[in-house]
């Protein structure tokens, strides 16, 4: 059975953020992720983790402008100093929270520009950031995000993310493979899991129902099947990462987040699907 981490930025919206750690532990989660830790002292977050027996497995680098108009700085020309300061800040939090990986937010391609035009600065920034993260044994992650939810986001496809990793050439740079985004942009999710998980370059998975981004037992993706595929492939290649539950609970206004966790409590996941001959 896969290991699931509660995304506290999305789950338990009925509670204050700092109270979500206890709620996640009570529901059986042993790990958490969230978008940003920077509004809270690192020591306070670390205390919440310890008190509830939780492991911090992921958070994001600073996004840029605090008004929410930016989605990262890695691909933005002229913002290198700010990008580096954000990496240093993120790694300081990762150290305090004993978090092994940080998602480096790519940023939005400016109107009038192209991905090709900014890829060189993106790769240059990632080389510097990966070297800094390696000093403390941290992995950095790149996440392809769909263009419906975040138009103009620099990174949208799995193959592009893996190509960038090849260009950067840092062993601690990996992909954050969000199956929600992957389904919207590319589809063929099970085949991509089989292709990329054995590469050693997938550091983290995330899930949500498609298209509304609710619980994974609702929508067009068969997550029970996908969990079985992940288990099968992980057993073959040794992948031992976490799966972040990054979805918006349908039950938040009614019974709370916990009321929508039947998909997790049941453990009713499928047996690994049989491979086609020659596949």
């Amino acid at each position: 059975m896969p290991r699931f981490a509660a995304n506290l930025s999305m789950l338990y919206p009925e509670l204050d953020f700092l109270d979500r750690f206890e709620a996640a532990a009570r529901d059986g989660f042993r790990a958490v992720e969230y978008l940003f830790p920077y509004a809270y002292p690192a020591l306070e977050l670390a205390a919440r983790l310890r008190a509830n027996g939780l492991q911090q497995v992921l958070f994001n680098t600073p996004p840029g402008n605090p008004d929410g108009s930016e989605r990262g700085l890695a691909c933005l020309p002229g913002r290198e100093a700010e990008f580096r300061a954000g990496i240093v800040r993120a790694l300081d939090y990762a150290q305090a929270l004993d978090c092994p990986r940080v998602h480096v937010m790519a940023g939005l391609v400016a109107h009038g520009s192209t991905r090709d035009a900014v890829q060189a600065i993106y790769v240059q920034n990632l080389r510097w950031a990966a070297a800094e993260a390696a000093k403390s044994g941290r992995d950095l992650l790149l996440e392809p995000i769909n263009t419906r939810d975040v138009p103009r986001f620099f990174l949208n496809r799995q193959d592009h993310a893996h190509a960038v990793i090849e260009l950067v050439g840092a062993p601690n740079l990996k992909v954050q493979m969000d199956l929600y985004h992957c389904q919207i942009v590319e589809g063929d999710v099970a085949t991509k899991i089989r292709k990329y998980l054995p590469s050693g370059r997938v550091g983290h998975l995330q899930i949500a129902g498609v298209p509304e981004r609710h619980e994974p037992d609702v929508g067009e993706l068969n997550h029970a099947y996908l969990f079985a595929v992940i288990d099968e492939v992980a057993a073959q290649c040794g992948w031992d990462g976490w799966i972040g539950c990054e979805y918006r609970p349908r039950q938040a206004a009614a019974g709370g987040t916990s009321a929508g966790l039947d998909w997790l409590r049941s453990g009713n996941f499928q047996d690994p699907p049989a491979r086609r001959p020659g596949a």
Side-chain angles (χ1 to χ4, degrees):
M1 177 175 168
R3 300 189 299 169
F4 297 100
N7 186 298
L8 300 186
S9 295
M10 289 197 174
L11 301 189
Y12 308 103
E14 65 273 15
L15 301 175
D16 289 338
F17 180 77
L18 291 177
D19 294 331
R20 299 177 190 182
F21 292 82
E22 181 180 359
R26 188 170 56 244
D27 281 332
F29 288 103
R30 292 295 172 260
V32 296
E33 62 178 40
Y34 38 73
L35 297 182
F36 308 109
Y38 311 108
Y40 303 92
L43 292 179
E44 174 65 26
L45 297 175
R48 299 281 173 158
L49 292 167
R50 287 194 303 271
N52 293 288
L54 294 168
Q55 179 181 350
Q56 182 77 46
V57 296
L58 180 70
F59 61 84
N60 295 344
T61 54
N65 286 343
D67 63 3
S69 63
E70 293 185 318
R71 298 300 184 97
L73 303 172
C75 78
L76 303 189
R79 304 286 291 280
E80 291 88 347
E82 189 178 351
F83 170 80
R84 292 188 176 196
I87 291 293
V88 171
R89 189 181 186 197
L91 291 175
D92 285 345
Y93 266 85
Q95 181 73 25
L97 302 177
D98 194 23
C99 183
R101 60 192 66 83
V102 176
H103 167 219
V104 181
M105 301 185 73
L108 307 179
V109 178
H111 290 291
S113 185
T114 65
R115 285 176 176 80
D116 288 344
V118 298
Q119 177 150 307
I121 189 64
Y122 183 59
V123 170
Q124 177 183 320
N125 278 334
L126 290 175
R127 284 192 180 127
W128 180 89
E132 288 298 302
K135 295 175 184 177
S136 57
R138 312 291 166 189
D139 285 345
L140 298 183
L141 305 186
L142 313 180
E143 182 184 19
I145 293 178
N146 80 76
T147 54
R148 185 185 72 203
D149 287 355
V150 187
R152 298 186 291 110
F153 194 76
F154 174 82
L155 202 61
N156 310 127
R157 299 181 57 87
Q158 304 303 312
D159 56 1
H160 189 193
H162 284 268
V164 167
I165 287 174
E166 289 277 358
L167 287 171
V168 174
N172 64 326
L173 186 64
K174 300 181 180 180
V175 175
Q176 180 174 325
M177 187 177 183
D178 189 317
L179 305 187
Y180 165 81
H181 294 303
C182 183
Q183 168 67 5
I184 292 172
V185 176
E186 306 176 60
D188 205 16
V189 173
T191 298
K192 288 180 172 59
I193 291 170
R194 292 189 185 279
K195 177 178 181 179
Y196 290 118
L197 228 56
S199 72
R201 292 177 174 170
V202 175
H204 192 70
L205 296 173
Q206 289 178 320
I207 56 170
V210 181
E212 290 90 1
R213 204 167 191 172
H214 293 317
E215 285 81 354
D217 58 347
V218 175
E220 66 195 41
L221 278 177
N222 183 346
H223 277 90
Y225 175 89
L226 294 175
F227 296 154
V229 171
I230 292 166
D231 273 346
E232 177 197 2
V233 176
Q236 293 169 354
C237 70
W239 188 83
D240 63 349
W242 291 88
I243 300 179
C245 302
E246 193 183 36
Y247 62 82
R248 302 184 185 96
R250 291 174 299 155
Q251 301 288 345
T257 297
S258 300
L261 287 174
D262 286 346
W263 68 270
L264 178 60
R265 295 191 193 96
S266 70
N268 186 25
F269 306 141
Q270 298 178 357
D271 292 331
R275 297 294 301 276
R276 299 187 309 273

